[in-house]
Amino acid sequence: MPEPEAYLPIESYGVIGNLETCALVAPNGSIDWFPFPHLESPSILAAILDAERGGRFRIGPTTRFETNRRYVDDTNVLETIFHTSDGTATLTDFMPPAGQVDQPKKVLYRKVTCTDGAVDLAIDLEPQFDYGRAATTLDSVDGGVLAASEAERVLLETPVDLEIEDGRITGEFSLEAGETVWVLLRCTGAEDANTDPDAALEETIEYWTEWGHHCGPDDDCAFEGPWHDDVVRSELVLKLLTHAESGAIAAAPTTSLPEDIGGVRNWDYRFNWLRDAGFTVQALMNLGTVAEAIDYFEWFVDLCQTADPETIQPLYGLHGEADLEERKLEHLEGYRGSRPVRVGNEAAQQRQLDIYGELLLAVDEMCQRGRALNDDEWVRIRDIVDYVRDVWDEPDAGIWEVRGGNKHFVYSKVMCWVALDRGIELACERDRDAPLEGWQETRERIRADVLENGYDEEIGAFVQSYGTSVLDATALLLPVVGFLPFDDERVQGTIDAIDERLVTDDIFVARYHGDDGLPGNEGAFVLCSCWFVNALALSGRVEDARSRFESLLEYLNPLGLVAEEIDPETGAQLGNYPQAFSHIGIVNSALYLGYVHGHELPGPDPMGIRLGDPAVVPDE
């Protein structure tokens, strides 16, 4: 088998999973990332973080080959097609979704079929339990090889003859047209489970095909456009990142993929950020994935029910864990030498006041769609709004989780305004007991404070924090959440200033340009690019928005996946991958473009459009 490149581009990977964990599959047939049993668990395979010590599971031709890949239509079943000089073989990778098919969920299935000619192939598995820290034993057993550490084990099951050497399990086999070999990686708890690989594949395809977004040729689909397939893939990614037990959605399935190659901006994203709540609920509901939206909503409402407002964290584990202690894995070299590799995330202990506004956005979105709040839930919502009323004028770490000290971030103030605004709306519309006069007074104080201290007359734009001239892409959200109307000259000036200062090549939008307490640079944020598209579309600059959105989508990989960031100079993807918020951004940008083009939406108007229709600003 040809030697693999040490590190492949981040965007070259495909992703599969079982609604509890995910694996990244390289175009050469190597699984280079696989935590088990859950996303936030230690890895069994982590070659993407250390090519020598991380561990990989590769199936591929023994001679030179070319590759193309695809997902089976509207599923998370990945096909890698190898083309050699002698023939063609297809590698099909999947895991049965937990609780959805009558097959064990803790089995990673790999099916190899020769479709033309003949192909010589090899298997190479090097398990490295606990991020490569655990001692591992390899023993031949009936039907395969058992790899075990003190805590975990995997059984490599296949009819191919296998050998054990230097901590690796290898085997070679040949296939002719029409022949198939199954290779199963049975993880802890599934070593002796009854499996029917063909049935598992059929049931998994059936589940995904039936689950996803569907619209007919005569439907007025809100996502109609050249981006429809990208929206569907984004939906499938979001579902793949949704934990079957809790309904929580991970920000990404990976840790420490760098925002700056060779730098220190490497974070663990295998957790749920509450700030994603409002925009995630909006995306899921408009896609028609109502059950997932409700499960996610119930999950974070339950979290809020069990914590006082001041103790609500910005992020939690996928089972609601609060202790996310950040540690460095010093023995791993990191993706292309990007160290440190981190597990856990100390941002969980930061004070981020914006989260309360995002929580109220989600509550408002669900209530607009008919979800009633019971008395206990309303008491908790009221407590949150009361808390915001007391602390809105204090500094915090902000949405970007800066590690250079707390500041008076404009976006945090605006989201405190949102918490008051949506709390007032909910109390009035549902005749709930609340100190409305006090809430209304505070809401107006926040507005006045932001307009006085958060807007720079000389620049003609809202800035990142009080007393600075730094621009921040979060200012694009001010009209989206209803703080000001789209045709306000301060909103339009902010959009233009961000276009001039933070946008590269029309579509790459930086979060901000300013010191955040960390060395190094970062790429453009995909989510910020989506925010920019939304601001243009809802300002009436529809053709400009559409053109830029189409340009952005060209940077998705051929499978429709995207990371957190894109390098404007090279087009390479950076950061953890695939990124939930990036895909949420794609869904919501498509939604807003559908909205301004007059498509009927499956629910209420997009959140935040409460001050009248979007502005009509002629395209230039």
Side-chain angles (χ1 to χ4, degrees), residues 290-365:
V290 176
E292 286 72 18
I294 292 173
D295 287 346
Y296 179 49
F297 178 79
E298 300 288 352
W299 177 77
F300 67 71
V301 166
D302 287 345
L303 278 178
C304 295
Q305 286 284 91
T306 57
D308 292 331
E310 64 270 20
T311 65
I312 295 174
Q313 297 182 176
L315 61 148
Y316 290 87
L318 301 183
H319 295 85
E321 304 94 332
D323 182 7
L324 305 181
E325 178 187 0
E326 184 173 298
R327 294 170 286 114
K328 298 176 181 179
L329 301 182
E330 302 287 1
H331 65 290
L332 296 179
E333 73 167 5
Y335 177 83
R336 294 188 175 177
S338 304
R339 302 183 69 184
V341 172
R342 293 181 171 93
V343 294
N345 198 310
E346 72 177 31
Q349 302 306 314
Q350 286 186 342
R351 188 183 207 193
Q352 298 174 22
L353 296 179
D354 62 288
I355 64 172
Y356 302 105
E358 283 123 8
L359 286 172
L360 265 293
L361 281 178
V363 173
D364 183 52
E365 177 79 9

Side-chain angles (χ1 to χ4, degrees), residues 391-442:
V391 301
W392 71 268
D393 57 351
E394 298 177 8
D396 73 331
I399 183 176
W400 301 129
E401 301 174 347
V402 297
R403 301 199 176 193
N406 290 351
K407 299 179 182 180
H408 288 282
F409 288 102
V410 171
Y411 181 72
S412 294
K413 308 294 186 193
V414 169
M415 294 312 290
C416 288
W417 178 91
V418 168
L420 270 296
D421 182 71
R422 299 311 193 267
I424 292 166
E425 293 284 349
L426 289 167
C428 292
E429 292 173 359
R430 286 154 182 81
D431 194 26
R432 288 287 189 173
D433 177 55
L436 286 175
E437 184 176 344
W439 286 4
Q440 290 164 344
E441 184 270 336
T442 304

